[in-house]
Coordinates of all heavy atoms in Angstrom, one line a residue:
I1258 N -4.8 6.8 23.8 CA -4.2 6.1 22.7 C -5.1 5.2 22.0 O -5.2 5.1 20.8 CB -2.9 5.3 23.2 CG1 -1.8 6.2 23.6 CG2 -2.4 4.3 22.1 CD1 -0.6 5.6 24.2
P1278 N 4.4 18.2 9.4 CA 5.7 17.9 8.7 C 5.8 16.4 8.4 O 6.4 16.0 7.4 CB 6.8 18.3 9.7 CG 6.1 19.2 10.7 CD 4.7 18.9 10.7
F1282 N 5.2 15.3 3.0 CA 5.8 14.7 1.8 C 4.8 13.9 1.1 O 4.8 13.7 -0.1 CB 7.0 13.9 2.2 CG 6.7 12.6 2.9 CD1 6.6 11.4 2.2 CD2 6.5 12.6 4.3 CE1 6.3 10.2 2.9 CE2 6.2 11.4 4.9 CZ 6.1 10.2 4.2
I1314 N -4.9 -2.6 30.5 CA -4.9 -3.9 31.3 C -3.8 -3.8 32.3 O -4.0 -4.2 33.5 CB -4.6 -5.1 30.3 CG1 -5.9 -5.3 29.5 CG2 -4.3 -6.4 31.1 CD1 -5.7 -6.3 28.4

Side-chain angles (χ1 to χ4, degrees):
I1258 288 175
F1282 73 96
I1314 291 171

